[in-house]
Amino acid sequence: MTGANKPANSQWGGRFTGGPAEIMRRINASIDYDKRLYAEDIAGSKAHCAMLVAQNILSPQDGAAITAGLDQIRSEIESGSFVFSAENEDIHMNIEARLAELIGPVAGRLHTARSRNDQVATDLRLWLRDAIDRLDLEMRGLQRALIDRADAEAGTVMPGYTHLQIAQPVTLGHHLLAYVEMLGRDRGRLADCRRRLNESPLGAAALAGTSFPIDRFASAAALGFDRPAANSLDAVSDRDFAIEFLAAAAITVMHLSRFAEEIVTWCSSEFGFIRLSDAFTTGSSIMPQKRNPDAAELVRAKTGRLNGALVALLTVMKGLPLAYGKDMQEDKVPVFEAVDALELCLAAAAGMVRDMQPCRERLRDAAGQGFATATDLADWLVRVAGLPFRRAHHATGSIVRRAEALGCTLAELPLAELQGVEPALTDAVYDVLDPTRSVASRTSFGGTAPERVRAAAAEARKRFLE
Ligand code: ARG
């Protein structure tokens, strides 16, 4: 099918005699997704228009007509009465076509000293800047939920793991604060990205700049950019700001997926460390006893989408010669998808943190299993009996073997058994074999002792929430 009997596009079709083939229209159109940029597109157009008037490139009357038309289009879009058309390809041309319907040929003056290339680059930066600000608030909200919980569970003893083998007792509050630190770095990465993306492409025009006496500093300032982008070719052709965002987003959701995985395992009957309420679980259509942590599983799985988005845009941009290429139209879907998925994940994670009920007894019991206080025993031999650590480690290993053979915990071993292995041991050692005492002793900076965790939670409030 050809487009020979169809009209050419009214906005760029001057040198064309026929219209595009149906498949050309379909592959070319981005309006289905880039309509999300409407508010940024209109803001960009208004800033550009005001600058053109201030520079005497556009008359004040024409400027006023264009501005009023743009405002009306914005309310039409927001009220749902605006008719988007694929014939007009993208959001920029949809808006300009409607502007022409509303105010006549004067609409055509808006595109003076501008191209869709600098326009779309500007729109996406503005959109992403807003999204980053929203995400920062949501990440902060999750940090708040975690810190509140950490404070409440500062003294809740649980097993700490390495290799998913019980390692040493820790506190639940300490464990939750680990995620607060990760999110703090995630927020830092987004803040860096925001700082770097906040330069205005507007006025770079198609790629080379323009012969009109425009003021790029003025339009940049009007849109809240720190400065105009310094090189017009770079301004229209790079999408590293979006890739940087996607990388930061992928790291964030990777963190969330680790937490989600812990929620999934902690909810299982084998662990039984926490309970989620009906609000964050679902039932099974066949097994009546089930209570599935679907929200956590989906947070874990959304990582796939975010990683996919990053790889998609890296691949789109790889090897593209300067300056703009239509390939770049494919930048939007990954960015929108990543923002949507990340917002959902952050909200679900915060919801689960507020919802979860720790099973404190079960956590404590589990901390007494797996010889979790073996390191405390070895440390005691060094600290109290003055043994070299290597010898203490070896003796403790033999004691663990003995407890294993007798089927008891370290705390349950009779003193005679302990002394049979290491005569330096006394009654006083039982103090450190108790998981609660074990965590209480870990008062080093950044350690798991309840008093440390309470102080760390207070510190985290200052660092992240004020
Ligand atoms: N819809 C296009 C995009 O998203 C706008 C820019 C089109 N520029 C062009 N020279 N055809 O990239």
Side-chain angles (χ1 to χ4, degrees):
M1 196 192 336
T2 73
N5 50 2
K6 293 192 179 146
N9 186 288
S10 62
Q11 288 174 47
W12 49 248
R15 57 108 69 219
F16 288 74
T17 48
E22 181 49 28
I23 191 63
M24 176 62 199
R25 280 182 207 266
R26 277 178 48 207
I27 196 170
N28 207 30
S30 53
I31 188 61
D32 281 350
Y33 47 89
D34 69 16
K35 62 170 92 155
R36 285 182 74 167
L37 298 174
Y38 80 88
E40 290 74 20
D41 197 69
I42 289 172
S45 286
K46 286 174 72 173
H48 181 66
C49 176
M51 180 278 292
L52 292 178
V53 171
Q55 296 299 106
N56 293 318
I57 301 168
L58 192 65
S59 76
Q61 295 85 332
D62 289 351
I66 287 171
T67 303
L70 288 169
D71 284 338
Q72 174 168 343
I73 291 170
R74 191 181 162 129
S75 45
E76 286 178 4
I77 294 175
E78 281 167 2
S79 72
S81 67
F82 190 95
V83 185
F84 291 100
S85 92
E87 261 62 55
N88 285 318
E89 274 181 49
D90 56 26
I91 186 63
H92 326 295
M93 289 179 27
N94 268 265
I95 288 175
E96 198 185 318
R98 179 66 183 142
L99 191 62
E101 282 173 16
L102 290 173
I103 67 170
V106 169
R109 296 191 185 276
L110 172 60
H111 216 51
T112 312
R114 182 177 82 169
S115 151
R116 277 188 291 156
N117 297 351
D118 56 340
Q119 202 178 347
V120 72
T122 303
D123 293 1
L124 190 59
R125 282 177 193 246
L126 288 173
W127 190 91
L128 193 51
R129 195 176 69 185
D130 263 14
I132 287 174
D133 291 345
R134 275 199 319 278
L135 285 165
D136 185 64
L137 281 178
E138 288 154 1
M139 287 157 86
R140 190 170 178 272
L142 177 53
Q143 283 182 306
R144 179 185 296 283
L146 286 163
I147 293 171
D148 288 347
R149 265 296 152 114
D151 224 355
E153 308 297 338
T156 303
V157 176
M158 67 177 284
Y161 295 85
T162 62
H163 316 267
L164 199 56
Q165 307 284 315
I166 292 183
Q168 292 176 1
V170 296
T171 56
L172 179 54
H174 192 52
H175 192 107
L176 296 175
L177 286 181
Y179 287 100
V180 172
E181 294 300 319
M182 296 177 224
L183 284 161
R185 293 190 295 276
D186 292 334
R187 287 177 68 192
R189 272 181 282 272
L190 283 189
D192 285 346
C193 171
R194 189 194 194 284
R195 208 169 24 250
R196 265 186 292 278
L197 75 70
N198 204 30
E199 294 187 347
S200 174
L202 207 55
L207 75 165
T210 176
S211 56
F212 290 97
I214 60 170
D215 182 353
R216 291 191 59 210
F217 289 85
S219 54
L223 293 168
F225 286 116
D226 294 329
R227 63 194 77 83
N231 180 296
S232 63
L233 289 159
D234 174 51
V236 297
S237 71
D238 210 338
R239 295 294 182 268
D240 60 356
F241 68 92
I243 294 172
E244 185 175 359
F245 166 76
L246 292 174
I251 293 174
T252 304
V253 82
M254 173 276 294
H255 284 149
L256 298 184
S257 80
R258 299 185 71 179
F259 186 46
E261 164 66 9
E262 295 193 320
I263 291 176
V264 171
T265 45
W266 290 358
C267 280
S268 68
S269 41
E270 287 80 356
F271 276 75
F273 285 2
I274 57 167
R275 257 181 84 83
L276 286 176
S277 80
D278 297 356
F280 282 93
T281 49
T282 63
S284 153
S285 52
I286 178 166
M287 297 163 283
Q289 84 284 10
K290 295 269 278 184
R291 177 189 276 288
N292 299 324
D294 294 35
E297 294 169 90
L298 287 163
V299 169
R300 191 172 60 180
K302 297 271 184 204
T303 316
R305 270 183 208 244
L306 277 119
N307 291 351
L310 172 60
V311 173
L313 192 51
L314 278 171
T315 310
V316 165
M317 297 305 296
K318 188 246 169 218
L320 271 192
L322 300 187
Y324 177 85
K326 195 64 172 254
D327 312 53
M328 289 176 203
Q329 179 162 284
E330 290 289 312
D331 59 358
K332 290 162 208 67
V333 171
V335 169
F336 294 158
E337 246 198 4
V339 170
D340 292 346
L342 187 52
E343 288 197 292
L344 260 179
C345 289
L346 288 165
M352 286 187 286
V353 171
R354 288 191 208 97
D355 184 76
M356 62 166 70
Q357 284 310 323
C359 309
R360 299 194 182 89
E361 256 175 53
R362 170 78 195 114
L363 284 162
R364 219 212 82 92
D365 286 352
Q369 303 301 311
F371 314 109
T373 50
T375 313
D376 300 84
L377 175 52
D379 286 351
W380 187 94
L381 285 170
V382 172
R383 205 176 47 243
V384 181
L387 265 54
F389 183 77
R390 281 293 157 221
R391 183 171 147 204
H393 184 283
H394 193 82
T396 306
S398 308
I399 290 170
V400 166
R401 188 148 32 86
R402 194 70 198 122
E404 216 163 19
L406 295 173
C408 65
T409 67
L410 293 179
E412 287 161 0
L413 273 179
L415 185 60
E417 289 286 348
L418 296 176
Q419 289 176 334
V421 176
E422 177 50 66
L425 284 161
T426 72
D427 241 357
V429 78
Y430 287 102
D431 271 0
V432 302
L433 297 183
D434 171 57
T436 305
R437 286 178 189 267
S438 162
V439 296
S441 71
R442 295 215 154 55
T443 52
S444 55
F445 181 80
T448 201
E451 52 174 296
R452 263 289 168 209
V453 172
R454 274 182 212 105
E459 232 358 80
R461 258 182 233 287
K462 283 202 208 113
R463 286 162 60 211
F464 300 121
L465 306 181
E466 274 170 16

